[in-house]
Amino acid sequence: MEPFAHRSLLDIEGLTKADVERILDTAEAFLQVSRRPVRKVPTLRGKTVINLFYEASTRTRTSFELAGKRLSADVINMNVSASSVEKGETLQDTCRTLEAMHPDVVVIRHDASGAPSYVASKIGCSVINAGDGMHAHPTQALLDAFTIRREKGTLENLVVTIVGDVSHSRVARSNAHLLNLFDCEVRVVGPRTLLPPAADSLGVRVFDRLEDGLQGADVVMVLRIQQERLAGALLPSLREYARTFGIGPRTIQYAKPDAIIMHPGPMNRGVEIESVIADGERSVVLEQVEAGVAVRMALLYLFAGEANEPPVVGEAD
Amino acid sequence: MVASPSPRLEAPTVFSHTPPDVARTQKVVLDADAIQRSIRRIAVAILEATSGIEDLTLVGIRRGGVPLSQRIAEEIAKVEGRPPPVGTVDISLYRDDAATALPNPKIGPSDIPFDVSGRHVVLVDDVLHTGRTVRAAIECLQDHGRPARVWFAALCDRGGRELPIAPDFIGRTIDMDPTGRLDVWVDAAGPDRVVLTEGE
């Protein structure tokens, strides 16, 4: 097989359909590792992964940390918001400091869109974007795709409805790009104040009424409504949002009977999703968490390899 | 060349440095009859060594060892009336060059649908060469449990060990040049045979 052609994962737009399939296929093998009694393989022994998080994140950081550890890599967490930034260090200086530590992969989350791309240009190792500003969250899109493929048996030609704060959501953007590679019909639903002005450029269909957007959906992706949006006067009240766009027993009936419900977490129960749905049979929220570790193991495996090494022909024997 | 799922048989790049007019000598070192006799002999030897089928399991090393482990299980079933449980391991993640040779061939699933703890496990591969695959397979197996004993069976031993690994059951020892190739066909894609390709 060809060596994986990418050095860094900055966004979904940089991947081909074949790349995505390769990542998801590789993740299948790692899902098994996480389900064994011994949940560790020696593959990345001696490799170093640095989690560089400029934004608070528990689940994504934990997921990457677990992924690295299950591959036997040494994983270091750096929560920079609590250290260098307060002391005035620039991103460039942080890059140079990191480089001197000889990491093999830097996983970065930053509140500024484009920060991972800047770091990738300054540092001599692989960079994986774990979410930057309102730009991209490619590992979330890949784990969502992995979950959908396992639940639906395919990624092709599905109707996927994304509900909520699409304009501020890097998850929605990355998901739209990925699902478009597989000819899915991607729909977005939400109050106009929370939909991007040029939604067409994402290749999505915009719906104003939840009932219309859910009609015939195979997959419903519910986005988190952040309390800060109230302060920005983009929403009148959470109660009104819950009544108009919340996913509950009444509204979900408009989707296909076998539709799955996804949420990237953490959930606001009673706002964008009701508990009876979040804990219901069709919710795959916990499957998404499990998929997250498997997909991130696959990414570390594919990206920690030395890009310039010739591929191995044949087998070890 | 007959189509086959083995990656070594599908990789024409291996020969890309050889001019097309210089065909390297190939010969069939084991034919279907010889392979069948070897498999039967291995099956009987396994039953004698492990004293019966009670705690016995076979685990084929992907990909060449998988069809072979099934064939051995069939032979055991002829004697014992039922086959032992058969699993597979993929050693990609356990290779000693995994970190430097990445990204390497597609990882297949390891599939061991039974507890190996306390059992006699026979690892099965088509060719024993450097011993590195066996070492990786043993490590992989130990992550699935603690077998009472691990044995190793291969259809061919071509020598050239790079680790202190000794097989328990061997079909045929083949004396060959270190640069040569040994390809084993024991799946449904054509007649069973072992083909030796001379080195340079």
Side-chain angles (χ1 to χ4, degrees), chain A residues 1-6 22 26 30 41-49 71-73 104-105 126 297-313, chain B residues 90-107:
Chain A
M1 181 171 271
E2 290 296 304
F4 197 64
H6 304 278
R22 171 118 180 242
T26 307
F30 287 116
V41 288
T43 316
L44 294 187
R45 197 163 43 198
K47 298 277 180 181
T48 303
V49 176
L71 289 168
S72 301
D104 297 283
V105 181
S126 295
M297 286 173 82
L299 291 169
L300 291 175
Y301 170 78
L302 291 168
F303 283 98
E306 272 131 71
N308 299 324
E309 284 274 332
V312 177
V313 179
Chain B
D90 184 287
I91 58 108
S92 308
L93 299 173
Y94 291 85
R95 290 171 61 134
D96 52 14
D97 58 355
T100 51
L102 286 177
N104 69 44
K106 185 178 165 182
I107 313 165

Side-chain angles (χ1 to χ4, degrees), chain A residues 207-288:
Chain A
F207 289 82
D208 292 314
R209 287 185 71 239
L210 181 61
E211 291 78 0
D212 296 340
L214 289 179
Q215 205 77 49
D218 297 292
V219 177
V220 182
M221 286 187 179
V222 189
L223 298 176
R224 175 181 166 76
I225 287 296
Q226 289 164 328
Q227 310 273 341
E228 305 93 272
R229 305 294 169 236
L230 284 173
L234 295 170
L235 281 180
S237 82
L238 291 181
R239 273 182 62 196
E240 182 186 315
Y241 181 87
R243 208 168 50 238
T244 324
F245 294 104
I247 301 293
R250 181 187 68 82
T251 44
I252 199 62
Q253 288 176 18
Y254 290 89
K256 280 192 186 162
D258 63 347
I260 55 170
I261 323 291
M262 310 180 77
H263 193 301
M267 290 187 282
N268 290 313
R269 288 169 182 263
V271 181
E272 71 265 11
I273 188 166
E274 288 184 33
S275 279
V276 64
I277 297 295
D279 304 329
E281 272 181 11
R282 288 146 74 184
S283 162
V284 295
V285 171
L286 297 178
E287 283 81 356
Q288 286 174 273

